[in-house]
Amino acid sequence: MVKRWKSVTAAGGRGRLTGGRGEPAMGSWGTPGLVAWVQGFPVVGQLVLLVVLGVMAQPLWGAPASPRGLRARDVRNDAGRALTLDWQLSPDDDVRLDPPRVAGYRLYRAEVTPEERPRFERIRDEQDLPPQVDEVVDEGLTPHQPYLYRLVAVDAEGRESAAAELDQPVRPEVWYFDRNKRWFLAITLLISAGILFFIRQARRGVELKIRKIAGLEAVDEAVGRATEMGRSMLFVPGIQDMNNIQTVAGITVLARIGRLTAEYDARIEVPTSRSLVMTTARETLESSYLAAGRPDAYHEDMSYYITDEQFGYVAYLTGYMVREKPAACFFLGAFFAESLILAETGNSIGAIQIAGTAEPAQLPFFVAACDYTLIGEEFFAASAYLSGEPEQLGTLKGQDVGKLLGGLLIAVGCLLFTYAHGADSPAAQRAVNYLRFQVLGTEDIPEEILEPGE
Amino acid sequence: MKRTIPIIIAAVAGLVMVVAFFVPPLIDWRETAEEWFNILAAVAMILGGASILAMHLRRISDQKRGWGFSLVTLIAFAITLSVGLFKVGVPPMAEYPDRPWTGEYITHGAPLWWIFQYLIVPITATMFSLLAFFVASAAFRAFRAKNAEAVLLLGTAFIVLLGRSYAGTLLTGWVPESYAALTLPGMTDTIMGVFNTAGQRAIMIGIALGIASTSLKILLGIDRSYLGNRH
């Protein structure tokens, strides 16, 4: 494995051992008696003796050997708030040693300013940097501010080794564009351009062919059935808040169902698990009733709040279904473990059920227990489909551009991967990696699969 | 104006989120927008509480069927709210022994902790455990072999169910290593890794496109149905 060190504005300096100011001493061994004894030997003998004594006495000093090669580099594609530091482990940081000589590492940081000398403060200790850890990301930094770092190994008694520190300060740089997302941006813009193109076409009166979606065709039938039976309808917008796009998609369908309900003079109830969803649902229903020319039929109690607690909400809904036996149940939003409980209860009371969610794990449960299920994109298409407005239908057609692009990328990826695997071609493998991590992903290519020199 | 301002707010907040995804220095803006949402949601909680009170009080006053449950709900609501809000039984922090409200509201042993630990958790677990029975009834209905597709589904489910349990290993453990793909666990891995993953990814691509399209409609103000119909 070869690591790539991309240059940063302030180069991460190689580490060096210091025993200077402010650092813990390695142990006092220069007593006058000992010096006089050593001086009694010839020069070569003194040197040999010093080395032997040094090696023998090291365990007695207690402090472990220092880590080496402390390096710092800027974290790419961030807001200039983080630096990555790495180092070579202390020679005493050996898992085979029993008892271990190193209990961890302590990292010190100092801000470099022209006014005063750097003052190091401990930012990580042995709990954060246990033995065998050789990298850490220091976050929460000030952009462009130069920093110095100092790293020591520490033993179980808290004795610190000599420090490894940077030669030069290093500063976190601001990246004004996340380069790993350039392909993502390009694809997003392409799909958006496709959608906008078809919206424009629709506005010009070009007829767009949209396939029939059975689940949405059944909405009228469900409302009609509830009216004929004189029973209410239950609309469940999921268990997430309004910041979830699925909840927004569910509420847009509610607008259409609310209007039908007003026209047919049926009853609808919208219990919610979030207060904000309740207020939005009320606004939506009020507008729907107004649009249907029945503002007098609207009342606030159509939508009400139950609880944020997932299964508390489920308990209310299942209880309501069993007691009131609604003729139609709509489950349109973000659902999780409660999906099957709700759908099965609805099934047991014989209600016509239409469900839609973008949670792939919940779709099988809805398919098994509901009459109609809007799968993935159909759920998001519901609003446009039901409205029948040309410009909204144009957005559905625009998604086909994305599907075409997705299909092309899948085909290219399959061919490329097959070729790279069969021909054992490094160039093709590089292309596969680029497609996989850069075009389809938003991360750097992992260092483990980089070839030397890349 | 009542409709224009929400549309502008939605468009601006949405654009900030999109741009901050690509421009790292704008992450703070995104976080600010998220904080604003949390503040709004917290304020809306008051409306939620008012909704609960109004609904159940009306049921009690009208003596509707099951009004006793509404009474229990309101009593539980009042007790939990007051115990939590006033930190009943919560000891003060060690640093401020003379300030009674400085302790954590969910301190171990406090009444609110007790309510959570011994009422909410077991009740929630009970509801969740019902799922096992619903899975059985749904599976019974879904796996009835009434046509070719249902037979295929039944067969696949049978293989995966056995392959995911120890029974799969036990039943096909005698198969030689070179034919491991034909064992029940081997077939399960193929079904899940190839057919299931391919299907899931197709759905995920559709969902991603649907989200992009819906987001664009909201950002551009084309779809305003979440604010009610325009006509």
Side-chain angles (χ1 to χ4, degrees), chain A residues 59-74:
Chain A
L60 300 177
W61 302 337
S66 164
R68 284 166 294 178
L70 179 65
R71 296 190 293 191
R73 60 187 155 134
D74 184 32

Side-chain angles (χ1 to χ4, degrees), chain B residues 29-40:
Chain B
W29 290 22
R30 188 177 73 187
E31 286 168 0
T32 304
E34 286 167 355
E35 280 166 13
W36 271 101
F37 176 81
N38 289 337
I39 292 167
L40 276 176

Side-chain angles (χ1 to χ4, degrees), chain A residues 213-295:
Chain A
I213 300 174
L216 295 175
E217 294 288 320
V219 166
D220 286 17
E221 179 196 337
V223 179
R225 185 172 177 233
T227 312
E228 283 173 6
M229 294 174 79
R231 290 204 211 145
S232 65
M233 289 177 292
L234 177 69
F235 185 95
V236 184
I239 61 163
Q240 294 286 295
D241 219 325
M242 284 310 296
N243 59 345
N244 189 304
I245 192 80
Q246 296 183 63
T247 313
V248 176
I251 292 292
T252 57
V253 183
L254 174 65
R256 170 70 180 168
I257 295 173
R259 188 168 173 176
L260 281 174
T261 307
E263 285 168 359
Y264 289 9
D265 200 18
R267 282 186 296 130
I268 188 166
E269 295 222 8
V270 189
T272 68
S273 75
R274 307 283 167 161
S275 308
L276 217 50
V277 179
M278 175 195 75
T279 53
T280 313
R282 282 179 175 175
E283 286 284 321
T284 303
L285 284 171
E286 188 179 6
S287 300
S288 297
Y289 272 70
L290 193 64
R294 298 287 317 278

Side-chain angles (χ1 to χ4, degrees), chain A residues 77-79 81 174-179 181-182 184-185 188 191-193 195-196 199 203 241-243 245 248-249 251-253 255-256 259 269 275-276 278-280 282-284 286-288 290-292 301 303-309 311-312 314-316 318 320 323-324 337-338 340-341 343-345 347 357-361 363 365 368-370 375-377 380-381 383-384 389 391-392 395-396 399-403 406 410 442, chain B residues 2-3 6 17-28 30-31 34 36-56 58-59 64-66 69 73 77 116 120-121 123-139 141-143 153 196 199-218 220-231:
Chain A
N77 301 311
D78 78 336
R81 298 281 170 80
V174 178
W175 294 69
Y176 291 98
F177 178 68
D178 188 342
R179 294 183 190 183
K181 291 173 183 163
R182 57 189 184 276
F184 188 91
L185 179 64
T188 305
I191 293 171
S192 301
I195 292 170
L196 292 175
I199 288 173
R203 279 178 179 163
D241 219 325
M242 284 310 296
N243 59 345
I245 192 80
V248 176
I251 292 292
T252 57
V253 183
R256 170 70 180 168
R259 188 168 173 176
E269 295 222 8
S275 308
L276 217 50
M278 175 195 75
T279 53
T280 313
R282 282 179 175 175
E283 286 284 321
T284 303
E286 188 179 6
S287 300
S288 297
L290 193 64
D301 297 343
S303 177
Y304 48 89
Y305 171 76
I306 303 298
T307 171
D308 277 37
E309 190 64 41
F311 287 103
V314 172
Y316 175 81
T318 50
Y320 174 85
R323 284 192 304 273
E324 304 293 329
E338 69 283 357
L340 187 61
I341 300 178
E344 271 296 290
T345 309
N347 190 291
T357 185
E359 300 295 334
L363 284 170
F365 298 129
C370 293
I375 297 175
E377 61 171 331
F380 292 106
S383 172
E389 292 170 20
E391 53 186 14
Q392 288 216 48
T395 64
L396 298 187
Q399 289 180 45
D400 290 349
V401 176
K403 286 179 197 163
I410 289 171
T442 55
Chain B
K2 193 187 168 190
R3 295 171 58 85
M17 299 297 238
V18 172
V19 175
F21 183 73
F22 296 103
V23 182
L26 295 187
I27 284 171
D28 287 349
R30 188 177 73 187
E31 286 168 0
E34 286 167 355
W36 271 101
F37 176 81
N38 289 337
I39 292 167
L40 276 176
V43 173
M45 275 298 290
I46 299 168
L47 294 175
S51 166
I52 290 175
L53 279 176
M55 185 174 80
H56 290 287
R58 196 174 303 116
R59 279 189 188 170
K64 277 188 179 175
R65 189 162 57 99
F69 296 116
T73 305
F77 179 66
F116 182 78
I120 294 177
V121 170
I123 291 169
T124 302
T126 307
M127 281 306 297
F128 186 59
S129 58
L130 287 176
L131 195 57
F133 300 101
F134 287 119
V135 166
S137 64
R141 196 172 47 257
F143 295 153
L153 187 68
N196 183 56
Q200 292 261 0
R201 283 184 183 162
I203 292 171
M204 288 303 292
I205 290 171
I207 289 170
L209 290 170
I211 289 174
S213 169
T214 305
S215 306
L216 207 60
K217 280 190 291 185
I218 291 169
L220 299 176
I222 293 170
D223 187 356
R224 303 171 188 188
S225 46
Y226 64 100
L227 297 170
N229 285 341
R230 72 172 78 175
H231 302 298

